Amino acid sequence: MGARKRFSAVQPWISLLVRVAAGVIMVWAGVAKLLDVHASVRAVRAYQLLPEAVVPLVGNVLPFIEVGLGVLLIAGVMTRTMAIIYLIMLAVYVSGTIWAWAHGLQIDCGCFGGDGTLAAGTTTNYAAHFIERAEFIALGVWLVIFPKSRLSLDAWLQPAE
Amino acid sequence: MATSSKDTKAAASAARARAAQLKAKERRAQGRNRFLIVVGVLVVAVLVGFAVKYIADSGGGQLYDAGKLTAPSVADASGGILVNQDGSVGGTAPAGSVRVDVYTDVLCPICHQFETINADTINTLRKNGTIAVYYHPVAILDRSSNGTHYSTRASAALATVAEYDGAHFAAFSSALFDNQPAENSSGLSNATIAQVATGVGVPAAVVAKFKDGEFTRWVTAATETASKDGLQGTPWIRAEQSVELDGGIWQNTKNLQIVLQYIHDFGLQKYKDSVAAAQAIQATPSPSATPSPTATP
């Protein structure tokens, strides 16, 4: 039994784990923000990146998009498309953080709730943040390359030929 | 023979076409199903989101909310409640006083620290008319009280006391800091908040108003206004709504007093100039220069 054959047997299970992990990250991020949506608006404002006219809209709507995307990833619906959307969202988030970093802003990313303020006496750990983001991005890239996974609605809707 | 072979071939191709049609139909049906399922999952996701938000907003049913935005008449447009020289609230600042805005969240430990260090200084300067203090009870730590929205509940109670019993506003505010619950606890219960108010002399008729939640929406709105004005964390102390007086200034006793007295005596511009000058000295790499930590004159 060749390595390739073994991989093709294992890959859908790995993709299942990756899919659920990425989905849980998104749902977690969204729910944490929904627990205090006012803080979510302030977190968006803390980046000093968007005009005030759209700050409340983004702060209110973004958590719903995250929860929706997370649920679709966990369910395994249109996995490749959802993984691409997931990567686009991460790209936007990482750009925001790089922008904040470049401008020397001392803020919390507000990724998993909070309003962007740091606890007293702490500074922003950008390195740790970017390492974490790299892990999140790796999950998305895996799903774009290997979207076929076990226990997905995709598999149920389109049985293997 | 030839014809029958042709017939068979024709029949076979017709069957193939039918099969292909069926398959295409099935695919279309599958596509529809897929679409419906995606829509269904999205609807469920949005419902879950709203449910989470609803549970968070209901705060275990403890958050009193009149359901409409009413600002206390004693608060200005920025959400600041002016405490006068005699301890009453609202009205106009004494002529020539330096406007000081103090943004605090009742659940923020450093705000408590700020109060402990500077309450006497601020009260003295307020009473003699050097400064006009505007207190902003903001609720930025609602997520740190197990969903009970302690910051909003206590700030709404503060606004109620400011409106109906202004003379006890400052005392109630500092009593709330003295009884400050730990972050990520459930905060003080509404009954305890009422007890604290009664303890500093707020009449029962005013305490009874807490459950009307008259100013709950205002607390949220005032917090949002503060955020737009630049609030990024509490405590946030500003002079003349333009100069931030950070921990480097207020953490040492007397420093805040010196800075505020200086602004009062020499004006804000002169203070800004001296800060800029001090920073220039610090930025100059000179081994003999002893950089002054702040613009303390």
Side-chain angles (χ1 to χ4, degrees), chain B residues 243-263 266 270-279 281-282 290-297:
Chain B
V243 173
E244 192 177 325
L245 307 175
D246 60 15
I249 290 166
W250 64 254
Q251 267 163 353
N252 297 311
T253 339
K254 293 282 170 201
N255 258 9
L256 186 67
Q257 183 174 1
I258 292 164
V259 167
L260 290 175
Q261 191 70 52
Y262 184 89
I263 294 173
F266 301 103
K270 202 139 190 207
Y271 173 73
K272 281 182 178 171
D273 291 346
S274 66
V275 171
Q279 277 166 353
I281 293 169
Q282 270 183 321
T290 319
S292 60
T294 62
T296 313

Side-chain angles (χ1 to χ4, degrees), chain A residues 21-160:
Chain A
V24 166
I25 289 166
M26 276 290 152
V27 170
W28 176 28
V31 168
K33 290 188 187 84
L34 285 172
L35 290 174
D36 190 348
V37 166
H38 303 300
S40 166
V41 174
R42 292 196 297 275
V44 173
R45 187 173 292 127
Y47 283 89
Q48 301 170 25
L49 185 59
L50 295 173
E52 185 54 38
V54 298
V55 164
L57 179 73
V58 173
N60 279 296
V61 171
L62 193 59
F64 286 102
I65 296 175
E66 288 175 339
V67 171
L69 178 64
V71 169
L72 290 175
L73 276 168
I74 293 169
V77 178
M78 306 201 296
T79 305
R80 181 172 268 162
T81 311
M82 292 306 143
I84 291 169
I85 296 173
Y86 168 92
L87 283 176
I88 292 171
M89 286 176 73
L90 275 173
V92 171
Y93 295 159
V94 170
S95 319
T97 326
I98 290 174
W99 195 89
W101 187 29
H103 286 75
L105 298 182
Q106 284 299 322
I107 61 173
D108 175 82
C109 73
C111 307
F112 298 101
D115 64 1
T117 57
L118 290 168
T122 57
T123 52
T124 311
N125 191 341
Y126 282 105
H129 176 88
F130 288 127
I131 290 168
E132 196 184 81
R133 271 345 85 158
E135 291 161 9
F136 293 175
I137 288 167
L139 297 178
V141 170
W142 175 276
L143 285 182
V144 171
I145 302 170
F146 306 108
K148 224 169 96 179
S149 61
R150 294 281 165 182
L151 305 176
S152 72
L153 280 181
D154 280 341
W156 178 60
L157 286 162
Q158 282 200 323

Side-chain angles (χ1 to χ4, degrees), chain A residues 42 45 72 77 117 120 157, chain B residues 30 34 38 110 224 227 232:
Chain A
R42 292 196 297 275
R45 187 173 292 127
L72 290 175
V77 178
T117 57
L157 286 162
Chain B
Q30 262 176 10
R34 261 170 90 107
V38 170
I110 308 170
E224 183 68 5
S227 167
Q232 296 224 331

Side-chain angles (χ1 to χ4, degrees), chain B residues 91-230:
Chain B
T92 47
S97 59
V98 176
R99 175 170 180 150
V100 177
D101 285 90
V102 177
Y103 294 78
T104 50
D105 184 307
V106 282
L107 192 56
C108 134
I110 308 170
C111 300
H112 185 201
Q113 198 190 332
F114 171 81
E115 275 283 313
T116 311
I117 297 172
N118 301 290
D120 287 346
T121 299
I122 286 179
N123 286 333
T124 306
L125 294 174
R126 168 176 64 78
K127 282 172 185 162
N128 70 24
T130 307
I131 59 171
V133 199
Y134 290 77
Y135 287 98
H136 298 252
V138 292
I140 60 167
L141 294 173
D142 265 351
R143 68 184 176 285
S144 305
S145 53
N146 290 340
T148 73
H149 294 71
Y150 172 66
S151 298
T152 296
R153 288 185 294 124
S155 299
L158 269 168
T160 307
V161 169
E163 182 75 354
Y164 297 110
D165 182 29
H168 286 114
F169 170 74
F172 182 32
S173 177
S174 56
L176 282 174
F177 279 117
D178 291 342
N179 291 284
Q180 189 178 63
E183 280 183 289
N184 299 317
S185 71
S186 296
L188 303 183
S189 69
N190 289 336
T192 311
I193 293 173
Q195 268 172 26
V196 171
T198 307
V200 297
V202 178
V206 176
V207 173
K209 284 178 182 292
F210 289 177
K211 66 176 182 309
D212 298 340
E214 189 178 351
F215 302 120
T216 300
R217 296 272 164 120
W218 173 77
V219 170
T220 304
T223 304
E224 183 68 5
T225 303
S227 167
K228 285 180 195 163
D229 287 342

